[in-house]
């Protein structure tokens, strides 16, 4: 009989590189930087680690070509024949690496493990992401469907469903981006560290109508790492460890965008993963029970819809319940992405899911670095990470909290 | 008697004003010409005209497809086979390309009539389409336009009969392309008109009229080829036609010289306004000349709702500038970027041919829902694939459910408009939108599907279905 994961596994150390256009670092540098920081945080050494999960979408193949295996990490960190499992779920890769590590501990297969998420994209010579659809997917169907293009379809659908003019809709989204930049500016490790105004957001060049430049995250290099053990061993490493309260990972049956009853205004996989994780963590009312949420806001519309699909506010009520009340600020009723989010902290694809947990971990410990964004009494947080595109997501929801 | 059962035509939505050419190269020029969108070629335009022609006609009744053009997108690899698939015709048909001559269309027409008369085919679809690229700043640049026409040839319920034809073959060279040329080459016009066009046309028409014991005055309309408007007017005089009443508008001012498609598009224009009993003189030129007497029959009243020439002409988007035009026709070289180049897999295309070319989806026999693309299990009720039955979808209309306009995709004409369209019968199709005015796209607008060239990847033309605002 399945028992669930609640409180069985603890995070005792975490690391996160500075996110951004890391012209100075290759993928190995980023893996090392995040892992060394996590090891130092936990007070352990590389040789103490018994198993590793490496999450990366492209690994180094963007630049080097060829396959990506766990040896990318074992050769970088000179781990000596411990298992390194490479996992990949597109932009939802980070959550998957943590999940693998957690279940290995719960199964008592290992005692101390490492999860790393990393992406190195800025060696390609152009902006944007590699065009994975073209060639890997069906040769013609779906060709040229980019991330911004696909998410923007959800914005158009949301505006249409709730009777918003594009101007009204874009205004709601602009407030989200202003908030993201506000926190990015206050986070020393963030990629985009400049505040923006509503006017700047609204007047920015168009990327994929109705989404403008400031509605979209950048392309970021970075890595994040976590050292985990079973909760009974956690005190050996530190007092202020956090525990995993619940996991939900859901793969949408897909083709959601082809079902005529899918309307693009909710993320089906997010709803499923959230319900899984809430059940396991014993959360009845997310808006009340959660102290903070780090959610997958690769685009402003992604934050809006994820907030509704995680049940942080009612469907179609984001403006009233989140935006108008400034509920999503760190001193608001339901703080969301006080790290700056994928939007401003950055989105190195494979790293993001792990990086979101890093933010909650630091907030619980009172170590948010900048006093202006340190929240009080954080006990329970949720990290939401998804890969794919509207109608066909794989989504990971990770709930962590003070033991 | 063999004759025309149905007809159709296609004119691309884009027009280039000749004033824009004047701004770039100097000189005047009036009117405009029709320009294929960047994702169109002679194959996709043929599919459009063929679809128009087959409206209300059982596609499985077509026994042969003859495609005529001087611009086949593949030099080796048949075009007609791709057109046949996109039109969802049967597999056990004869398909043939008639190429290289401006008269390919009328030659294919004769071959079709002969096949029907001989009884080897009951119905033959003849489609002619051309998309010739004139050299920049040449005399041909303002002239050439793009378009297509289609005729279903059969024996029953004729809309028009071919009472007589005369074919003349000549080794005369006036316009040509070598095997490695994209742009046409020409000889001095004074020679090509005086020794080529004028005498050959005159001879063919005269021989026909004599053999059929008829005269110019017996025709209600004349639909004939000419290299340009002046030569067209001169030929009308030579043939003693009344310019006001007897000459079908050759559309030089709005479409341009559509090459192999020219004479037969003009015939479609004449048929649209004809009534039973009318006689139309048709004449075509190139490597000789041919002339035909088309007698309109009772069945003409049954050929309805065609977009033909008239309706297609109503839909137009003006090209904003010359830069767009040369980009559409691939006449300009851009910076090479390290962005990943599109790839394709001919293996996958072959496996997926029924939905890539034929636009088949799946209808679930358990829950009744239709889905595109075809599935392994029903996406609504999870029934396994023995319940999934292929159904054709390319004819269905729909409405735009949602869309976005992506400025950052490496497409020829950004923004790339991504669209979710809900087709009649409850099926959603995710696609790119083409032939669109980006200032006039609205959720809920009526949409239809169109067969287009998606990209040239690994040196292969890749075709698929896109959506576009309905032309109605």
């Amino acid at each position: 009989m399945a028992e669930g994961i609640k409180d069985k596994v603890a995070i005792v150390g975490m690391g996160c590189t500075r996110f951004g256009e890391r012209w100075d670092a290759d993928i190995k540098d980023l893996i090392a930087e995040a892992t060394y920081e996590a090891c130092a945080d936990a007070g352990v050494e590389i040789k103490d680690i018994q198993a590793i999960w490496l999450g990366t979408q492209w690994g180094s193949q963007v630049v080097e070509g060829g396959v990506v295996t766990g040896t990318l990490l074992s050769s970088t960190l000179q781990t000596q024949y411990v298992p390194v499992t490479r996992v990949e779920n597109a932009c939802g890769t980070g959550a998957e690496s943590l999940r693998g590590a957690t279940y290995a501990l719960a199964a008592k297969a290992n005692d101390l493990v490492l999860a790393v998420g990393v992406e190195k994209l800025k060696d390609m010579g152009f902006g944007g992401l590699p065009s994975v659809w073209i060639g890997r997917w069906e040769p013609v169907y779906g060709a040229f469907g980019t991330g911004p293009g696909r998410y923007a379809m959800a914005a158009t659908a949301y505006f249409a469903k709730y009777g918003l003019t594009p101007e009204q809709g874009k205004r709601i989204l602009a407030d989200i981006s202003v908030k993201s930049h506000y926190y990015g500016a206050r986070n020393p490790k963030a990629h985009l560290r400049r505040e923006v105004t509503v006017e700047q957001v609204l007047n920015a060049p168009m990327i994929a109508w109705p989404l403008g430049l400031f509605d979209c995250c950048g392309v970021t290099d970075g890595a994040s790492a976590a050292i985990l053990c079973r909760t009974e061993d956690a005190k050996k490493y530190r007092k202020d460890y956090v525990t995993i309260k619940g996991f939900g990972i859901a793969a949408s049956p897909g083709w959601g965008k082809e079902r005529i009853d899918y309307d693009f205004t909710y993320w089906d996989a997010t709803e499923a993963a959230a319900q899984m994780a809430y059940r396991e963590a014993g959360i009845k009312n997310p808006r009340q029970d959660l102290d903070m949420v780090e959610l997958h806001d690769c685009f402003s519309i992604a934050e809006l819809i994820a907030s509704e699909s995680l049940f942080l506010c009612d469907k179609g009520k984001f403006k009233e319940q989140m935006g108008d009340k400034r509920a999503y600020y760190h001193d608001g009723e339901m703080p969301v992405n006080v790290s700056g989010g994928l939007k401003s902290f950055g989105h190195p694809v494979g790293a993001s899911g792990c990086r979101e947990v890093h933010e909650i971990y630091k907030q619980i410990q009172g170590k948010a670095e900048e006093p202006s964004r340190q929240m009080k009494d954080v006990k329970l947080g949720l990290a939401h990470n998804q890969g794919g595109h509207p109608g066909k997501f794989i989504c990971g929801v990770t709930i962590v909290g003070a033991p | 008697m063999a004759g025309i059962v149905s007809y159709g035509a296609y004119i691309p939505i884009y027009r280039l004003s000749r004033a824009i050419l004047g701004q770039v190269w100097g000189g005047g020029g009036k009117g405009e010409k029709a320009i294929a969108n960047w994702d169109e070629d002679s194959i996709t335009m043929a599919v459009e005209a063929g679809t128009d022609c087959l409206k209300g006609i059982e596609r499985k009744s077509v026994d042969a497809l003859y495609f005529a053009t001087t611009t086949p997108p593949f030099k080796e690899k048949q075009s007609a086979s791709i057109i046949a698939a996109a039109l969802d015709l049967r597999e056990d048909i004869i398909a043939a390309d008639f190429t290289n001559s401006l008269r390919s269309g009328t030659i294919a027409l004769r071959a079709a009539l002969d096949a029907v008369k001989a009884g080897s085919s009951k119905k033959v679809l003849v489609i002619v389409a051309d998309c010739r690229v004139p050299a920049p700043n040449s005399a041909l640049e303002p002239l050439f336009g793009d378009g297509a026409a289609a005729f279903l040839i059969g024996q029953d319920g004729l809309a028009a009969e071919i009472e007589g034809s005369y074919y003349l073959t000549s080794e005369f060279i006036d316009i040509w392309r070598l095997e490695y040329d994209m742009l046409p080459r020409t000889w001095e016009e004074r020679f090509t008109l005086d020794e080529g066009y004028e005498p050959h046309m005159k001879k063919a028409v005269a021989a026909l009229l004599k053999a059929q014991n008829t005269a110019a005055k017996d025709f209600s309309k004349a639909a004939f080829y000419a290299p340009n408007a002046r030569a067209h007017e001169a030929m009308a005089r030579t043939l003693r036609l009344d310019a006001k009443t007897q000459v079908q508008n050759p559309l030089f001012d709005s479409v341009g010289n559509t090459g192999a498609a020219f004479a037969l598009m003009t015939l479609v224009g004449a048929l649209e306004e004809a009534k039973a009993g009318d006689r139309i003189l048709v004449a075509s030129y190139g490597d000789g000349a041919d002339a035909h007497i088309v007698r309109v029959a009772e069945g003409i009243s049954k050929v309805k709702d065609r977009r033909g020439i008239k309706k297609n002409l109503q839909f137009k988007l003006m090209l904003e500038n010359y830069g767009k035009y040369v980009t559409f026709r691939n006449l300009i070289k851009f910076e090479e970027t390290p962005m990943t180049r599109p790839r394709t897999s001919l293996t996958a295309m072959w496996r997926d041919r029924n939905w890539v070319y034929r636009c088949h989806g799946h209808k679930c026999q358990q829950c009744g829902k239709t889905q595109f693309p075809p599935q392994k299990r029903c996406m609504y009720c999870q029934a396994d694939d023995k319940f999934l039955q292929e159904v054709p979808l390319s004819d269905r209309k729909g409405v735009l459910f949602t869309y976005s306009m992506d400025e950052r995709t490496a497409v020829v004409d950004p923004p790339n408009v991504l669209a979710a369209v809900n087709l009649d019968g409850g099926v959603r199709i995710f696609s790119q939108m083409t032939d669109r005015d980006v200032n006039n796209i609205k959720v809920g607008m009526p949409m239809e599907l169109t067969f287009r060239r998606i990209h040239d990847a690994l040196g292969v033309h890749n075709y698929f279905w896109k959506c576009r605002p309905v032309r109605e």
Side-chain angles (χ1 to χ4, degrees):
Chain A
M1 188 70 186
E3 288 174 10
I5 204 75
K6 189 180 182 188
D7 287 327
K8 288 181 179 167
V9 171
I11 302 175
V12 292
M14 286 203 81
C16 182
T17 68
R18 182 171 60 78
F19 275 23
E21 291 173 321
R22 292 291 304 270
W23 314 119
D24 61 313
D26 69 10
I27 193 164
K28 296 179 175 187
D29 294 320
L30 296 169
I31 290 171
E33 196 177 318
T35 307
Y36 293 160
E37 192 177 299
C39 286
D41 186 46
V44 303
E45 292 181 45
I46 300 281
K47 66 174 171 52
D48 301 331
I49 297 164
Q50 297 165 348
I52 298 163
W53 278 261
L54 169 68
T56 182
Q57 183 175 16
W58 283 288
S60 51
Q61 68 176 342
V62 167
V63 234
E64 293 167 7
V67 294
V68 182
T69 71
T71 57
L72 170 64
L73 184 140
S74 62
S75 62
T76 301
L77 298 179
Q78 285 299 303
T79 57
Q80 301 295 307
Y81 306 102
V82 303
V84 184
T85 306
R86 185 247 175 156
V87 295
E88 197 250 292
N89 259 339
C91 303
T93 295
E96 198 65 70
S97 63
L98 277 170
R99 183 171 182 256
T102 301
Y103 281 88
L105 290 166
K108 300 194 177 177
N110 306 106
D111 297 319
L112 190 74
V113 303
L114 165 70
V116 182
V118 64
E119 216 69 60
K120 174 68 197 176
L121 292 164
K122 295 308 296 182
D123 280 356
M124 292 184 300
F126 58 88
L129 297 173
S131 309
V132 287
W133 318 122
I134 304 168
R136 278 205 206 164
W137 212 22
E138 294 86 0
V140 291
Y141 179 70
F144 305 113
T146 62
R150 289 173 182 277
Y151 274 91
M153 291 172 80
T156 306
Y158 189 93
F159 298 171
K161 180 172 180 177
Y162 296 109
L164 302 166
T165 64
E167 293 71 32
Q168 290 169 329
K170 279 181 66 68
R171 185 60 229 277
I172 299 170
L173 299 181
D175 286 335
I176 297 172
S177 298
V178 167
K179 180 202 55 150
S180 305
H181 279 258
Y182 175 88
Y183 286 115
R186 281 157 182 77
N187 201 335
K189 284 182 169 173
H191 181 177
L192 305 175
R193 301 212 55 209
R194 194 161 59 91
E195 287 191 46
V196 294
T197 64
V198 169
E199 291 66 37
Q200 277 175 302
V201 177
L202 293 176
N203 296 325
M206 207 44 76
I207 297 295
W209 188 93
L211 302 180
L213 180 67
F214 290 114
D215 290 299
C216 308
C217 68
V219 175
T220 308
D221 299 328
S224 181
I227 307 273
L228 302 97
C229 67
R230 268 184 308 286
T231 305
E232 69 249 30
D233 301 330
K235 284 216 169 67
K236 283 199 275 187
Y237 301 101
R238 67 188 315 134
K239 278 187 217 140
D240 54 354
Y241 61 89
V242 305
T243 60
I244 309 277
K245 304 289 182 184
F247 257 123
I249 291 195
S252 161
W255 304 124
K257 66 188 187 302
E258 277 95 11
R259 271 183 63 142
I260 203 146
D261 52 2
Y262 180 67
D263 72 2
F264 289 84
T265 66
Y266 63 96
W267 304 152
D268 57 330
T270 292
E271 293 186 0
Q275 277 157 351
M276 248 181 255
Y278 289 152
R279 206 178 308 126
E280 193 165 63
I283 289 172
K284 298 261 154 47
N285 183 341
R287 190 176 170 110
Q288 232 165 50
D289 300 346
L290 292 168
D291 298 314
M292 65 180 292
V293 167
E294 285 285 307
L295 60 75
H296 199 93
D297 64 326
C298 40
F299 303 95
S300 52
I301 185 65
E303 172 157 338
L304 188 159
I305 293 181
S307 298
E308 296 188 0
S309 289
L310 289 166
F311 313 107
L312 308 182
C313 64
D314 296 327
K315 284 216 173 89
K317 297 288 180 198
F318 181 90
K319 179 180 182 292
E320 293 79 7
Q321 296 175 3
M322 299 294 280
D324 290 351
K325 299 165 91 171
R326 294 170 64 87
Y328 46 38
Y329 277 83
H330 75 286
D331 49 0
E333 202 185 320
M334 184 65 260
V336 172
N337 291 354
V338 299
S339 62
L342 276 60
K343 169 72 189 79
S344 286
F345 193 86
H347 182 29
V349 183
S352 281
C354 194
R355 195 283 307 159
E356 291 171 338
V357 173
H358 174 265
E359 173 67 17
I360 301 167
Y361 171 85
K362 291 290 183 184
Q363 287 279 2
I364 289 173
Q365 294 174 342
K367 293 176 182 166
E369 294 193 63
E370 269 284 325
S372 63
R373 53 172 219 96
Q374 174 66 54
M375 295 165 57
K376 284 186 199 123
D377 300 325
V378 177
K379 295 272 187 290
L380 196 62
L382 176 147
H384 163 256
N385 185 211
Q386 67 190 11
H389 48 79
K392 198 182 183 185
F393 280 125
I394 180 136
C395 175
V397 169
T398 311
I399 298 175
V400 297
Chain B
M1 188 168 198
I4 295 168
V5 176
S6 174
Y7 60 81
Y10 178 71
I11 298 167
I13 200 164
Y14 278 105
R15 306 287 192 280
L16 179 66
S17 147
R18 296 198 173 97
I20 282 181
L21 295 175
Q23 284 163 20
V24 176
W25 304 117
K30 61 181 171 68
E32 59 207 33
K33 58 177 200 159
I35 291 301
N37 204 338
W38 65 270
D39 57 3
E40 294 185 291
D41 59 21
S42 58
I43 285 180
T44 68
M45 291 196 297
V47 174
E48 292 273 8
T51 304
D52 193 34
C53 178
L54 292 177
K55 195 166 180 191
I57 291 164
E58 175 51 54
R59 293 185 180 206
K60 303 297 175 208
S61 71
V62 176
D63 301 311
L65 170 67
Y66 298 168
F67 172 56
T69 187
T70 71
T71 49
F74 290 87
K75 197 165 277 175
E76 178 172 343
K77 157 70 198 148
Q78 196 184 54
S79 298
S81 59
I82 295 176
I83 297 164
L87 289 173
D88 207 20
L89 303 183
R90 296 192 328 258
E91 276 186 339
D92 61 334
I93 63 165
I94 295 167
D97 288 349
F98 290 70
T99 62
N100 292 352
S101 173
L102 285 175
R103 286 199 301 124
S104 306
T106 44
I107 291 167
L109 198 66
R110 174 58 172 265
L113 288 162
D114 286 348
V116 170
K117 274 182 205 160
S120 68
S121 297
K122 283 206 174 81
K123 280 184 185 159
V124 182
L125 182 60
V126 176
I127 312 181
V128 53
D130 234 348
C131 186
R132 295 191 295 168
V133 182
N137 199 20
S138 68
L140 300 180
E141 191 179 36
L143 267 177
F144 280 11
D146 306 321
F151 296 89
L152 185 64
I153 303 303
Q155 273 184 315
D156 304 323
L158 296 186
E161 293 163 8
I162 314 296
E163 283 189 337
S165 294
Y166 182 86
Y167 281 80
L168 178 71
T169 294
S170 166
E171 70 279 25
F172 191 83
I173 303 179
D174 49 5
I175 182 164
W176 71 100
R177 275 173 276 146
L178 297 178
E179 69 270 38
Y180 47 77
D181 285 335
M182 181 176 86
L183 306 174
R185 302 167 187 268
T186 54
W187 201 262
E188 183 183 4
E189 193 188 62
R190 297 178 63 83
F191 165 72
T192 60
L193 287 178
D194 285 3
E195 291 294 316
Y197 174 69
E198 285 166 18
H200 284 87
M201 284 287 273
K202 207 172 147 184
K203 193 172 170 187
V205 172
L208 174 71
L209 297 187
K210 191 177 169 203
Q212 297 292 319
N213 195 22
T214 184
K217 63 173 171 44
D218 300 329
F219 295 98
S220 49
K221 276 283 174 343
F224 61 93
Y225 175 91
N228 57 48
R230 235 173 66 186
H232 194 266
E233 282 163 26
M235 183 54 62
R237 282 194 300 274
T238 303
L239 298 178
R240 299 176 189 280
L241 296 163
D242 182 83
K244 285 212 177 74
T245 58
Q246 281 184 292
V247 177
Q248 180 64 31
N249 185 348
L251 304 176
F252 282 109
D253 283 351
S254 50
V255 178
N257 180 339
T258 53
F262 188 113
L264 293 177
M265 284 176 75
T266 314
L267 172 59
V268 171
L271 287 172
E272 281 173 346
E273 292 172 13
K275 56 183 192 308
D278 284 358
R279 278 176 156 184
I280 301 167
L281 174 67
V282 180
S284 190
Y285 171 76
D287 310 292
D290 52 61
H292 318 264
I293 299 173
V294 175
R295 200 182 67 83
V296 181
E298 299 296 333
I300 193 80
S301 59
K302 278 183 258 157
V303 187
K304 286 185 209 147
D305 307 326
R306 297 294 182 268
R307 285 184 184 163
I309 299 296
K310 241 200 233 163
K311 206 167 209 177
N312 270 307
L313 270 178
Q314 289 166 15
F315 292 88
K316 66 174 179 180
L317 293 172
M318 297 306 295
L319 271 181
E320 297 132 61
N321 53 54
Y322 191 68
K324 259 203 169 165
Y325 167 70
V326 292
T327 307
F328 277 22
R329 291 286 76 81
N330 207 13
L331 284 166
I332 192 166
K333 237 179 135 50
F334 290 100
E335 179 190 1
E336 298 251 352
T337 72
M339 286 196 64
T340 311
R341 293 228 171 76
R343 281 178 287 171
T344 193
S345 165
L346 293 178
T347 322
M349 293 284 282
W350 170 245
R351 274 197 307 269
D352 296 340
R353 60 194 180 274
N354 277 8
W355 61 277
V356 169
Y357 289 116
R358 292 181 182 266
C359 200
H360 286 183
H362 265 156
K363 183 168 180 160
C364 176
Q365 302 304 300
Q366 184 168 284
C367 71
K369 297 220 166 68
T370 305
Q371 39 221 297
F372 184 89
Q375 303 291 311
K376 302 291 166 241
R377 291 167 74 86
C378 173
M379 68 169 86
Y380 291 94
C381 74
Q382 290 83 53
D384 70 37
D385 56 4
K386 69 173 181 280
F387 290 97
L388 299 176
Q389 190 180 52
E390 280 191 30
V391 285
L393 299 173
S394 62
D395 265 353
R396 297 197 190 186
K397 303 270 191 293
V399 294
L400 179 61
F401 181 76
T402 187
Y403 71 103
S404 67
M405 299 193 281
D406 190 347
E407 300 282 352
R408 302 290 296 167
T409 311
V411 291
V412 174
D413 185 30
N416 182 37
V417 181
L418 291 173
V421 175
N422 293 348
L423 297 177
D424 296 345
V427 50
R428 167 82 53 85
I429 183 161
F430 175 79
S431 65
Q432 291 173 272
M433 192 189 299
T434 191
D435 289 2
R436 75 286 185 275
D437 172 1
V438 292
N439 298 311
N440 198 17
I441 300 175
K442 283 187 178 64
V443 167
M445 73 195 288
M447 305 296 291
E448 62 189 5
L449 301 179
T450 174
F451 189 68
R452 295 298 168 112
R453 199 194 276 187
I454 292 285
H455 52 54
D456 285 5
L458 293 182
V460 181
H461 301 317
N462 294 277
Y463 297 91
F464 191 53
W465 296 85
K466 292 187 178 181
C467 65
R468 70 153 172 231
V470 168
R471 290 194 179 185
E472 254 160 33

